[in-house]
Amino acid sequence: MPAKTRVLILGGTGEATHLAELLDKHDRFEIVSSLAGRTRDPALPPGQVRSGGFGGIAGLANYLRDDTIGAVVDATHPYAAQISDNAVHACKAVNLPLLQLLRPEWRETTDDRWIPVENTESAAAAISDHGFQRIFLSTGRQDLAPFAALRDPWFLLRTIDPPDNRLGLQNCEIVLGRGPFEADAEADLMRQYRIDAIVTKNSGGTATYGKIEAARRLKLPVIMIQRPPGAALRSASSVKEAAEWLEHHARS
């Protein structure tokens, strides 16, 4: 029997977990999933799991070489630009095949009211420009500084884990929740807190699309932060496509 191919999945997304589950049933692969370690109690995929950073491009390249990794799938969040860029350079340095598993973006419909912006700084500026006062801030906990500088608006922030503080926001309420979130519940939440605008990233997928549907029903504007440019040379839009790519490389 040929030796198993060790696959590093840069994870933290539902797609990463589903890919690990699919490959775990396959006798050709040995799976290592890497998680950033930002969530206190993450749902762990099957196979070996490591948590935390690699130490930049050089650290990742050394890990790939020392751990005899045969292929890498970058299934991180579409906005995790740094690790994606590091993966491109590290895989090139050690001559390993790399695939980016990137879920398709959400598409605006004629009934949506999207305000497209480039980044969180532009999103904060859009809040001021439009005079929004009660904001459902659905961007995650990593990029809140531009919103913390705003003094007049009030924010509703949802996190998976209880934060240690108010995360720098002056006027806010924090609710806890882990997706998927249904549209009906999202609409109820927005009515309860009298939300007049949403700020989010174009993450794609189904787990958090409920807020987009709810905003459409309630005719609320959505300040939509666009995705950063992709770094990987090859990408797949589904777990099935990523698994087929790995099978091809395992045979070659």
Side-chain angles (χ1 to χ4, degrees):
M1 178 181 294
K4 292 185 177 183
T5 299
R6 283 177 63 78
V7 178
L8 175 64
I9 301 176
L10 302 174
T13 62
E15 289 82 4
T17 300
H18 293 158
L19 179 61
E21 291 171 345
L22 182 61
L23 297 180
D24 188 56
K25 302 172 184 176
H26 206 305
D27 59 9
R28 246 184 216 146
F29 301 108
E30 189 174 338
I31 309 305
V32 182
S33 294
S34 176
L35 306 180
R38 296 194 181 102
T39 302
R40 295 176 191 173
D41 187 24
L44 297 180
Q48 181 182 339
V49 178
R50 68 175 305 281
S51 181
F54 291 93
I57 296 170
L60 178 54
N62 288 336
Y63 174 83
L64 297 174
R65 186 185 301 110
D66 296 343
D67 215 50
T68 61
I69 298 298
V72 179
V73 177
D74 173 13
T76 56
H77 193 275
Y79 290 78
Q82 187 61 65
I83 183 60
S84 294
D85 188 62
N86 288 353
V88 170
H89 293 290
C91 287
K92 185 177 293 186
V94 297
N95 195 31
L96 277 185
L98 167 67
L99 180 77
Q100 186 176 36
L101 175 51
L102 190 62
R103 67 181 80 131
E105 293 180 304
W106 296 322
R107 297 297 181 185
E108 185 177 11
T109 74
T110 55
D111 295 323
D112 288 317
R113 297 176 57 197
W114 288 10
I115 302 171
V117 295
E118 183 177 349
N119 49 40
T120 51
E121 290 79 10
S122 301
I127 290 173
S128 296
D129 292 344
H130 291 270
F132 299 134
Q133 291 299 309
R134 298 184 65 83
I135 316 299
F136 182 16
L137 187 55
S138 180
T139 60
R141 299 167 53 174
Q142 306 303 313
D143 303 302
L144 298 180
F147 307 104
L150 302 178
R151 291 295 179 261
D152 293 331
W154 176 92
F155 295 99
L156 176 66
L157 179 67
R158 181 166 57 202
T159 66
I160 295 175
D161 299 317
D164 297 328
N165 52 49
R166 296 172 66 84
L167 303 174
L169 297 174
Q170 301 300 313
N171 305 307
C172 76
E173 182 166 339
I174 297 171
V175 296
L176 303 181
R178 186 191 296 266
F181 302 104
E182 297 296 331
D184 289 345
E186 295 288 72
D188 289 342
L189 183 73
M190 294 174 198
R191 291 191 192 99
Q192 177 186 349
Y193 287 98
R194 297 182 287 113
I195 299 300
D196 64 7
I198 300 167
V199 178
T200 192
K201 296 176 178 177
N202 196 335
S203 302
T206 60
T208 62
Y209 189 69
K211 65 193 170 193
I212 305 301
E213 290 187 40
R216 185 182 304 137
R217 294 181 193 175
L218 300 176
K219 303 187 186 307
L220 293 178
V222 177
I223 300 174
M224 185 67 74
I225 301 171
Q226 305 302 296
R227 289 187 181 183
L233 301 179
R234 175 75 183 269
S235 65
S237 61
S238 71
V239 169
K240 180 177 181 291
E241 187 181 348
E244 290 172 350
W245 178 86
L246 284 167
E247 289 177 9
H248 168 76
H249 281 281
R251 288 194 301 268
S252 59

